[in-house]
Amino acid sequence: MNQTSELIIAGFGGQGILFAGKVLAYGGMLAAKEVSWLPSYGPEMRGGTANCHVIVSDAPVSSPIITNPTLLIAMNKPSLDKFEDALVPGGMVFVDSTLIDRQVKRSDVRVHYIPATQLAQDMNAPKLANMIMLGKLIAEADMLTYDEVKTGLGKSVPSSKQDLLALNLKAINAGYGYKA
Amino acid sequence: MAIVFERPKSLSDVTLHYCPGCTHGIIHRLIAEVIDELDIEGKTIGVAPVGCSVFAYNYFNCDMQEAAHGRAPAVATGIKRADPGNIVFTYQGDGDLAAIGTAETVHAAARSENITVIFVNNAIYGMTGGQMAPTSLVGQVTQTSPYGRKTETQGYPLKVCETLATIQGTAYAERVSVDDVKNIKKAKAAIKKAFENQLAGRGFSIVEVLSTCPTNWGLSPVEALGWLRENMMPHYPLGIYKDITKEEKK
Amino acid sequence: MSDKVLMKGNEAIAEAAMRAGCRHFFGYPITPQTELAAYMAKKMPKVGGLFLQAESEVAAINMVYGAAGAGVRVMTSSSSPGISLKQEGISYIAGADLPCLIVNIVRGGPGLGGIQPAQSDYFQATRGGGHGDYRLIVLAPSSVQEMVDLTYLAFDLGDKYRMPVMIIGDGMLGQMMEPVVFDDTKGGGTGEKAWATTGTRMARKRNIINSLYITPEELEKLVWEREKKYDTVRAAEVRFEQYAAGDAEYIIAAYGTTARIAKNAIDTLRREGYKVGLIRPITLWPFPNEAFSRAAKTAKAFLTVEMSTGQMVEDVRLSVDGKVPVHFYGRTGGMVPSPAEIIEKIKSIAGGDK
């Protein structure tokens, strides 16, 4: 049976939702897996909600649209409200508990609460909550390995901005090692 | 025996389809003489419009493209950008250039597209049988202004050279006429300058030529020339409206 | 072959076009093809090429006409409302037998419509859109890699047949990223274009790029000659993909984005024992009529799935020619059908018949 991870990352525009997805897509591609990355687009990107669908699979990806994700990263409350019910039973949800003040209602999914926005502020890197969530995702889910994501990150950061690489990696590490 | 008058080399050896007394033929000839004198036939591409001069592609020996109505400056842009070493001119009437193709004209000027535009203004749509043009005069009777052009409902005639002169990208804008020998000579000098500007890479050059349409004006050729002088020239004064070579010298 | 890179569909078309030797791009901003023009604006100057933002779609397509007539590989891209504006120029390009590439990243219509993915420009693309007897070769990729491959092909076919080629995608294909490789053995060759207005150099007779033929006898002759060329294209250039179609009793017809969704539905249905397959037209014109008429001999029914109220379904029905039922399922206005909706439709068509 082929292994396929279907992840929706959702939050506000400006939280680095699309970039987080790109890191994973690159990581998957460089690990010789089949990948697709699909963003929401249009006016909703201007300060509204943003989400992206990332599929990493051993088999060719048919539809890049994810109807029922196996994995969900919710970085604000509207995103959790919108996608919680769509998760497959047995799926996994990662909640930024700094910005989402409610518990996940489903009892048939595994839930991880990470105060990612707070942790990012504590690190003096308020824009890197996305990478903290990503770190926790790879620690808990069988999607990609730490090294694969690290390689993906290297590809996603333009060569002119390599100074950002270390900081992003630090945030991934913070999430990877986070224990509630 | 010495030859004192012959067909310019770049004008093809066919009979023009224009009505008797129409001045398109004179303007064609002036362009061809200029192309010959500058020795640029082999690298010139002309763009014909939609209007009375729609068959202009048959009358020049250089490469030609036929454009959709009003689009000649856009087509010329494509040709020029494909090979900036070539010389590209458009030949357009008033409906083509100043009504349906206003946007293409204005923006070719704004980009200072390095092309030469020959604009034939006879204040009427000729090919379709004499409708009101953007340059028809106030009070002018046409098929679509049978009671005379009324400003209340049909607005005012467009002054193309004056308008384009306000655009920074316009290198050269001159209005000329072909109603008599003196003016024909001036017209030729202007057309030559517009091509020389392109050769020198100066950008968008336009020569507006006041022209007659005896058929649709309902006048004899001689009367038409008189009508042009008495009615068009006061509203469309001849002269140079912009010339960056003069500004360069200052 | 290049390294595998992750690219958005819109950017992949732009990169492939440049690698295919296109050095002239004329366009006007519109969502959701934005990234294509932006990529061109950034990259063209680096290879000595031209990106020109025109004052309108109308001007852009006429610049394409001029440059195509001057013999260079040239393209424009837009989305549905902008493509409507270009129809005048496309008709003239077809009428003057000029090659070029037109990309339509389709959005919901009519009118201003929306900006989400749609397939409601099928009629416009395959039936003309502008005036007169003419055709475009219409290529419908369903992945980012195919957007690359079909861009190379589009320029080659355009030059070979001297006709405009359209690549029709949608906002989803344009915006999504997938891994792609570029085959550098392809492209680059524009070939000798003896008909182009490059300047006579006083060494040949003048060339005239024109679509005006005032004598009806002459025009009719030319239009029929062009139709013969179209017959050659019909015979030689049909492209389609079959997926699980060999033993299929129910055949889904879908192209582009919708075909990918149909594949998900087919995988699920197959696991449940339904014999379902897919025929995916890659050329929307010429349409793969024979693939469908052949399948009609063994299939029990067809289901056409589109992001429209039913446009390609007419071609499927013409091909199947009444032999078996052709059903339709569509979403429109920017809504994308889900695999579940397709599964449900197939099950209702099959009755309990696996």
Side-chain angles (χ1 to χ4, degrees):
Chain A
M1 184 71 191
N2 287 315
Q3 162 85 26
T4 299
S5 300
E6 300 194 345
L7 165 70
I8 292 179
I9 314 177
F12 295 119
Q15 280 183 311
I17 302 295
L18 303 185
F19 180 77
K22 193 173 167 183
V23 170
L24 292 169
Y26 253 117
M29 183 189 88
L30 295 169
K33 294 176 189 295
E34 305 285 348
V35 300
S36 70
W37 173 95
L38 177 70
S40 54
Y41 65 88
E44 63 179 11
M45 297 291 292
R46 316 272 187 268
T49 57
N51 68 73
C52 81
H53 298 202
V54 179
I55 300 176
V56 175
S57 178
D58 297 325
V61 177
S62 295
S63 173
I65 301 170
I66 299 172
T67 316
N68 299 111
T70 61
L71 302 165
L72 170 65
I73 295 177
M75 294 192 63
N76 65 10
K77 191 156 169 288
S79 298
L80 183 63
D81 294 346
K82 186 173 179 184
F83 293 112
E84 179 179 347
D85 290 343
L87 262 176
V88 297
M92 206 181 277
V93 52
F94 301 81
V95 176
D96 184 337
S97 53
T98 313
L99 300 178
I100 301 172
D101 58 4
R102 75 164 174 87
Q103 301 284 301
V104 172
K105 294 171 193 154
R106 295 264 300 263
S107 56
D108 60 345
V109 295
R110 283 173 287 168
V111 187
H112 299 279
Y113 297 99
I114 309 101
T117 298
Q118 186 61 53
L119 291 173
Q121 277 161 7
D122 294 346
M123 286 170 62
N124 211 14
K127 287 193 164 177
L128 292 183
N130 60 342
M131 290 296 110
I132 292 172
M133 296 300 281
L134 206 64
K136 187 63 178 171
L137 170 86
I138 53 180
E140 300 295 337
D142 190 17
M143 186 180 191
L144 290 168
T145 67
Y146 176 86
D147 286 340
E148 285 163 353
V149 170
K150 192 176 161 183
T151 314
L153 178 68
K155 268 277 183 185
S156 308
V157 176
S159 50
S160 58
K161 293 183 179 167
Q162 285 297 304
D163 51 321
L164 294 177
L165 200 61
L167 197 59
N168 275 276
L169 199 58
K170 198 177 148 196
I172 289 177
N173 290 339
Y176 194 76
Y178 175 77
K179 295 278 183 280
Chain B
M1 196 163 60
I3 296 170
V4 292
F5 189 80
E6 63 182 337
R7 186 177 47 80
K9 230 167 14 69
S10 55
L11 203 60
S12 53
D13 189 11
V14 295
T15 307
L16 307 187
H17 72 281
Y18 299 110
C19 302
C22 167
T23 42
H24 269 304
I26 299 173
I27 304 164
H28 280 25
R29 183 183 172 93
L30 296 182
I31 293 170
E33 285 179 0
V34 165
I35 290 173
D36 284 3
E37 285 168 24
L38 297 173
D39 194 20
I40 53 171
E41 184 189 323
K43 60 174 179 178
T44 296
I45 293 104
V47 183
V50 173
C52 281
S53 47
V54 69
F55 293 120
Y57 56 79
N58 284 327
Y59 302 145
F60 295 97
N61 280 328
C62 59
D63 279 355
M64 295 290 294
Q65 289 199 20
E66 169 59 41
H69 198 23
R71 316 298 172 222
V75 171
T77 298
I79 300 168
K80 185 70 181 180
R81 299 296 186 112
D83 185 351
N86 280 340
I87 299 301
V88 184
F89 76 93
T90 71
Y91 189 100
Q92 303 175 258
D94 40 59
D96 192 271
L97 181 137
I100 198 167
T102 315
E104 284 77 5
T105 307
V106 167
H107 285 275
R111 287 192 305 272
S112 200
E113 209 61 60
N114 192 26
I115 58 172
T116 302
V117 174
I118 308 301
F119 167 39
V120 179
N121 180 3
N122 60 8
I124 204 154
Y125 282 82
M127 188 177 72
T128 45
Q131 293 81 18
M132 186 185 76
T135 52
S136 290
L137 301 174
V138 174
Q140 189 178 335
V141 174
T142 71
Q143 194 188 72
T144 51
S145 56
Y147 309 110
R149 182 176 190 163
K150 287 188 169 56
T151 56
E152 298 83 358
T153 52
Q154 291 160 316
Y156 297 88
L158 269 180
K159 298 190 175 193
V160 169
C161 275
E162 288 85 337
T163 306
L164 293 179
T166 66
I167 295 173
Q168 213 173 346
T170 302
Y172 175 57
E174 179 168 355
R175 183 179 293 123
V176 296
S177 171
V178 286
D179 63 303
D180 64 21
V181 174
K182 192 168 117 256
N183 277 337
I184 289 171
K185 283 188 165 177
K186 279 191 185 168
K188 183 178 168 184
I191 290 168
K192 192 164 186 179
K193 179 152 190 171
F195 276 91
E196 283 168 342
N197 280 345
Q198 187 177 163
L199 283 161
R202 292 199 181 97
F204 186 85
S205 295
I206 179 167
V207 178
E208 173 176 347
V209 187
L210 298 187
S211 185
T212 60
C213 183
T215 300
N216 288 300
W217 291 355
L219 301 172
S220 74
V222 175
E223 288 168 344
L225 290 170
W227 194 88
L228 184 154
R229 289 182 202 111
E230 284 157 33
N231 297 285
M232 288 186 76
M233 281 189 189
H235 185 76
Y236 298 116
L238 305 186
I240 296 171
Y241 289 85
K242 184 154 187 205
D243 183 354
I244 58 163
T245 61
K246 292 211 169 133
E247 289 163 26
E248 280 164 12
K249 283 172 197 157
K250 275 178 196 165
Chain C
M1 288 284 180
S2 71
D3 285 344
K4 201 184 258 191
V5 286
L6 201 57
M7 280 186 108
K8 282 192 169 190
N10 282 335
E11 295 176 342
I13 289 178
E15 177 65 27
M18 287 193 291
R19 286 174 184 254
C22 173
R23 290 291 177 275
H24 294 82
F25 177 96
F26 302 93
Y28 185 85
I30 188 168
T31 305
Q33 65 80 53
T34 313
E35 295 82 5
L36 205 168
Y39 193 90
M40 286 294 192
K42 198 171 171 184
K43 301 278 184 173
M44 271 297 198
K46 295 185 176 174
V47 294
L50 171 76
F51 165 85
L52 197 156
Q53 183 171 314
E55 63 271 25
S56 68
E57 301 290 3
V58 176
I61 193 68
N62 282 284
M63 291 172 186
V64 168
Y65 174 99
V72 299
R73 279 195 162 176
V74 57
M75 69 177 288
T76 186
S77 69
S78 190
S79 179
S80 310
I83 296 293
S84 291
L85 276 170
K86 288 185 197 292
Q87 292 305 332
E88 174 201 56
I90 295 172
S91 171
Y92 279 68
I93 287 167
D97 297 307
L98 299 177
C100 71
L101 171 60
I102 301 139
V103 177
N104 184 2
I105 303 298
V106 181
R107 55 189 253 185
L112 205 44
I115 59 169
Q116 297 302 322
Q119 297 181 318
S120 40
D121 296 354
Y122 181 92
F123 283 156
Q124 187 194 53
T126 61
R127 301 301 193 266
H131 59 282
D133 286 309
Y134 75 91
R135 298 289 186 174
L136 309 177
I137 293 174
V138 183
L139 305 172
S142 80
S143 69
V144 179
Q145 182 64 55
E146 206 170 40
M147 286 170 123
V148 167
D149 298 340
L150 294 182
T151 299
Y152 287 108
L153 180 69
F155 282 109
D156 288 345
L157 292 179
D159 282 346
K160 182 175 179 185
Y161 296 106
R162 280 185 67 181
M163 62 187 286
V165 181
M166 177 174 280
I167 289 181
I168 195 160
D170 60 56
M172 195 179 91
L173 285 166
Q175 300 285 337
M176 68 182 287
M177 283 203 289
E178 285 186 310
V180 287
V181 292
F182 294 90
D183 183 352
D184 289 330
T185 61
K186 289 181 183 166
T190 60
E192 184 64 24
K193 293 176 177 174
W195 46 265
T197 58
T198 51
T200 64
R201 309 293 162 204
M202 308 310 277
R204 59 160 168 77
K205 282 187 68 178
R206 68 178 167 186
N207 286 331
I208 297 173
I209 301 296
N210 178 37
S211 62
L212 175 66
Y213 297 92
I214 212 77
T215 318
E217 289 82 358
E218 193 187 1
L219 181 57
E220 185 192 37
K221 185 167 161 278
L222 270 166
V223 171
W224 279 118
E225 276 171 16
R226 193 171 296 119
E227 193 59 29
K228 272 188 210 154
K229 173 172 84 179
Y230 293 155
D231 283 339
T232 311
V233 177
R234 286 184 181 101
E237 304 299 346
V238 168
R239 286 168 172 80
F240 60 92
E241 181 201 0
Q242 299 197 75
Y243 181 79
D247 66 339
E249 294 173 344
Y250 302 96
I251 303 263
I252 296 174
Y255 69 95
T257 287
T258 314
R260 294 180 67 132
I261 297 160
K263 283 182 183 176
N264 278 34
I266 288 165
D267 290 347
T268 305
L269 286 162
R270 282 270 169 184
R271 280 197 293 275
E272 294 179 18
Y274 289 91
K275 288 186 174 171
V276 186
L278 171 75
I279 297 178
R280 174 174 75 90
I282 296 170
T283 49
L284 301 187
W285 194 94
F287 190 76
N289 303 89
E290 277 179 34
F292 285 99
S293 59
R294 234 181 359 253
K297 289 174 187 161
T298 50
K300 290 180 178 169
F302 289 79
L303 171 65
T304 305
V305 183
E306 297 175 58
M307 293 190 288
S308 78
T309 55
Q311 300 194 10
M312 184 177 78
V313 66
E314 295 193 359
D315 281 332
V316 176
R317 287 194 175 125
L318 282 170
S319 306
V320 169
D321 200 17
K323 289 188 180 69
V324 289
V326 177
H327 302 269
F328 175 74
Y329 183 75
R331 298 296 301 270
T332 192
M335 295 301 290
V336 180
S338 72
E341 290 163 26
I342 298 172
I343 289 166
E344 194 187 333
K345 185 75 185 176
I346 286 284
K347 284 182 179 174
S348 84
I349 292 167
D353 177 18
K354 285 190 182 178

